Structures are given as structure tokens and as C-alpha cells.
Amino acid sequence: MSLFLTSRRLRGGLTGVAVAAMVLTTAACGGTTRGEDEGSGSGGDSAGASADPDAEIPADLAIAFLPKQLNNPYFDVAATGSERAAGEIEGEFTQVGPSEASASSQVSYINTLTQQGADVILTSANDPNAICSALDQARSGGASVVTFDSDTSPECRDVFINQATPEGIAEAQIDLMAEQIGGAGQVAILSATANATNQNAWIELMTEYAASEYPDMEIVATVYGDDEDEKSFQETQGLLQTYPDLKGIISPTTVGISAAARYLSGSEYKGQVALTGLGTPNQMREFVQDGTVTAFALWNPEDLGYLAAYTGAALAAGQITGAEGETFTAGDLGEYEIGADGEVVLGEPTVFNADNIDDFDF
Ligand code: RAM
């Protein structure tokens, strides 16, 4: 079983946790690789059987970026990474997507991309299964499909670019909360949408990890802001009313954590109720500076988009088929290896706090 190669641009922060988690995940995922699945537009053969690592990336690849929703600052940053990669390989970049992150809202966009003959579709799935038949058609039509950020079921795409290991992401958030509340008390989770693959994986792992590592920390509720600013703001307010003894909120979504921070910063709970989770430094800076938030985490979404686009190009070129053990080069980020279940891990998340937040601009 091969280990994932991680980005050469690993950042500081969660080293121990994330590296240990990466090894654990690798050991835990066995079984199928993408190469055993049928229907890949890029081949779908066993490792190395039809991959040609030296194949040239053709010019003018039509590369489509389909986020969970438009106008989410996190995906806007990821799109700049994909667009930069597309520029480097002389591809044609387009972004399309729904205004809301509901389960099937991406289907019609995929169908249109298929009709237009997209070569590469990069998408973060709002639901593990809702877009599978649309993606099947796209792949039958010759498109290579790369999921990033939030996966579909593995058989629905060629490769998934995971931002970090789910264990690393989950444990980081629980450890950050434990540090901020002394490891004890009621904690609630403010998530994005109820069907999101990434959110649900992290919530399950956070719950397990908290129960085993911090028995005095009680996760009392999970609520959904649907990655809408106003709904996330209201859900935060509702949590504080419903749970007067609440010690902290974990929001594993950039939309949720920034809305929760805005609510807390203007309320009596500022500095009293801890808030952590996953946020962009640019959205969270003012709330770290005003004392609402001590520390939170994220990866670099631009790198995520950049790696996804290079992966799509490598698939379209035939450099890789999506099978475990294949390697390819993702521009400035260097070489990556495909792990079990057609998954590539970007690297480790970074923890942001008052000391380092000004070093980041995204
Ligand atoms: C939001 C989305 C996305 C998630 C980030 C952390 O922008 O829910 O899927 O990865 O937050």
C-alpha cells in the first residue's frame, strides 16, 4: 500500500496530528481503486496499464469549474487556482454553478457541460449520489471528472482531491476547541448543508474523536446554515438561546464560521463562547483582531483548485487513469501520487491565530 505524497509546500501547524492521521487513513482505506471501476472517460484501467506518464497535455482543453455554489469566497479562491493552472497549460477555463448548495442543484450544469463537450469537469459535490448519473454521462462523452473539497461516491468520478485527511481536519477542530474551553463543556456544530459529503465525514469523525479524547466535552447539537450567510447567522443565535450553558461552537464551513463570528462579535457572548472551525483568513481577520475568535484552521483553497485542474489535465492527457500508485506533476506544487480509492491529498491544514493571520491573503 502506498502512502500519499503531500504537497511540497507543507505549512506549519498541525504536523503531528495531520501526519499521524494521514498514515492512519492510508492504513484504513483498502479495497477498490479507481482502476477497477468501469466507465472512466480517461481509461479506468489498472495502475500503469494504459497510463503514459510522458503524454503531453493537449492545448485548448475545455476545463470547467463547478463549485457547490457561486459567490462563496472559498470557492472563488479555489477557482483562481484552477484558472491559473488552466492558463499554464493553455486550456480554456470556465466557471458555472448554482446559487445554492442544495443536493441536486449541480445536475443541470453538468448536463450542459456534457452537451458542450467539456474535456475536464472539476466539482465539489453537494451530495455523494445526486450528481452521479449526470457525471456518468459526462464521462461517457469523454470528460475526465475530478472532485475536490467534497467527494461523490468514488465510482462517480476519476479522482478526488482531498484538502487534507478527514481525520486530520476533524481532530484539528476538536483540539482547537478543547484548548479554548479547557476540554470540558457543551459544544455545538454549525455545519453547511445536511447532505454535504465533506461536512458529514468531518462531523462523524469529530464526534468520535471528542468522545474518546475529551469525555467532558459534550456535543449537544448540529445545526445547518446551508452555507448561506443569513441562515448561518440565525442558527448561531438559535444555538445560544437554546443552550444557555454553551461553551463553544465549531463551524467546519467558511460561510458558517464567518457568520457565527459576526453574530458573536456583536453580542454579549463575545469572548465568552468560543468559536473555531474552518475559515478563510481574509473573512476571519477582523474577528481575530477584535477578540471574538482565538484560532481556526483551513488549507489553501487556491492550491486545492490548482491541483484539481492539473489532475484533470493529467487524466485528459492520459498521464494517469486514476489508479492507485500513479504519479503526476501538478505545476508548481510538484509531484503527487494517487492513493486508494482514487484519492490525492493536498497536504496539511494550517492553524491561523493572531500571530500569523496577517501572513495570509486569501
Ligand atoms: C465552505 C464549504 C466547503 C468547505 C469549506 C471549509 O466553503 O462548505 O465545502 O470545505 O467551507
Side-chain angles (χ1 to χ4, degrees):
M1 182 173 296
S2 57
L3 290 174
F4 303 125
L5 294 186
T6 57
S7 165
R8 288 179 177 165
R9 296 168 58 194
L10 290 184
R11 297 167 206 289
L14 303 173
T15 44
V17 169
V19 169
M22 210 167 279
V23 173
L24 276 177
T25 306
T26 308
C29 319
T32 346
T33 66
R34 245 312 290 152
E36 290 163 8
D37 301 327
E38 292 301 323
S40 166
S42 321
D45 300 313
S46 303
S50 69
D52 174 6
D54 299 324
E56 290 240 335
I57 295 174
D60 301 326
L61 281 180
I63 300 174
F65 182 95
L66 172 58
K68 283 181 169 178
Q69 64 190 145
L70 296 180
N71 300 319
N72 174 335
Y74 168 85
F75 287 110
D76 289 346
V77 178
T80 63
S82 294
E83 186 165 13
R84 183 160 58 84
E88 288 173 8
I89 58 170
E90 296 174 28
E92 291 164 16
F93 176 85
T94 52
Q95 181 177 189
V96 293
S99 56
E100 57 169 56
S102 62
S104 58
S105 59
Q106 294 167 309
V107 170
S108 61
Y109 294 92
I110 297 167
N111 292 340
T112 303
L113 290 171
T114 303
Q115 284 158 13
Q116 292 169 344
D119 296 307
V120 173
I121 297 176
L122 313 173
T123 191
S124 170
N126 283 317
D127 182 282
N129 301 308
I131 60 174
C132 282
S133 68
L135 290 179
D136 280 350
Q137 285 181 29
R139 294 167 81 195
S140 300
S144 297
V145 173
V146 177
T147 50
F148 67 95
D149 177 69
S150 182
D151 200 7
T152 55
S153 294
E155 65 276 10
C156 309
R157 46 63 177 171
D158 294 296
V159 175
F160 171 50
I161 308 299
N162 209 341
Q163 42 270 54
T165 66
E167 288 81 0
I169 295 169
E171 292 173 12
Q173 293 176 88
I174 293 293
D175 287 339
L176 283 170
M177 178 53 69
E179 277 166 28
Q180 293 172 29
I181 64 170
Q186 293 186 347
V187 170
I189 295 173
L190 170 65
S191 182
T193 56
N195 292 329
T197 328
N198 57 348
Q199 297 284 322
N200 289 337
W202 300 335
I203 291 168
E204 191 181 328
L205 291 166
M206 283 197 285
T207 307
E208 282 170 20
Y209 181 69
S212 76
E213 296 298 311
Y214 304 103
D216 296 330
M217 186 192 288
E218 187 192 1
I219 298 183
V220 291
T222 298
V223 296
Y224 299 92
D226 291 344
D227 269 350
E228 288 173 19
D229 177 74
E230 197 50 38
K231 181 151 194 286
S232 304
F233 187 91
Q234 284 163 7
E235 292 291 348
T236 306
Q237 188 173 26
L239 282 173
L240 293 161
Q241 281 163 2
T242 311
Y243 299 96
D245 295 329
L246 201 66
K247 289 281 183 300
I249 298 174
I250 300 175
S251 187
T253 144
T254 58
V255 179
I257 195 174
S258 57
R262 199 172 78 251
Y263 179 78
L264 288 177
S265 75
S267 79
E268 62 189 293
Y269 306 104
K270 177 178 168 184
Q272 305 297 315
V273 172
L275 173 65
T276 192
L278 304 174
T280 67
N282 286 355
Q283 283 185 289
M284 297 303 289
R285 185 168 288 106
E286 67 179 287
F287 305 115
V288 169
Q289 283 165 354
D290 80 2
T292 304
V293 171
T294 310
F296 63 97
L298 198 69
W299 42 91
N300 185 333
E302 183 172 349
D303 286 350
L304 186 65
Y306 183 87
L307 174 56
Y310 263 100
T311 308
L315 284 161
Q319 292 174 355
I320 55 174
T321 66
E324 183 174 2
E326 293 172 347
T327 58
F328 64 101
T329 300
D332 294 345
L333 288 177
E335 192 179 30
Y336 283 82
E337 179 174 334
I338 299 175
D341 289 326
E343 189 170 313
V344 173
V345 177
L346 173 68
E348 295 177 47
T350 301
V351 171
F352 306 98
N353 56 31
D355 294 335
N356 70 355
I357 196 162
D358 288 335
D359 299 338
F360 298 91
D361 183 16
F362 62 83

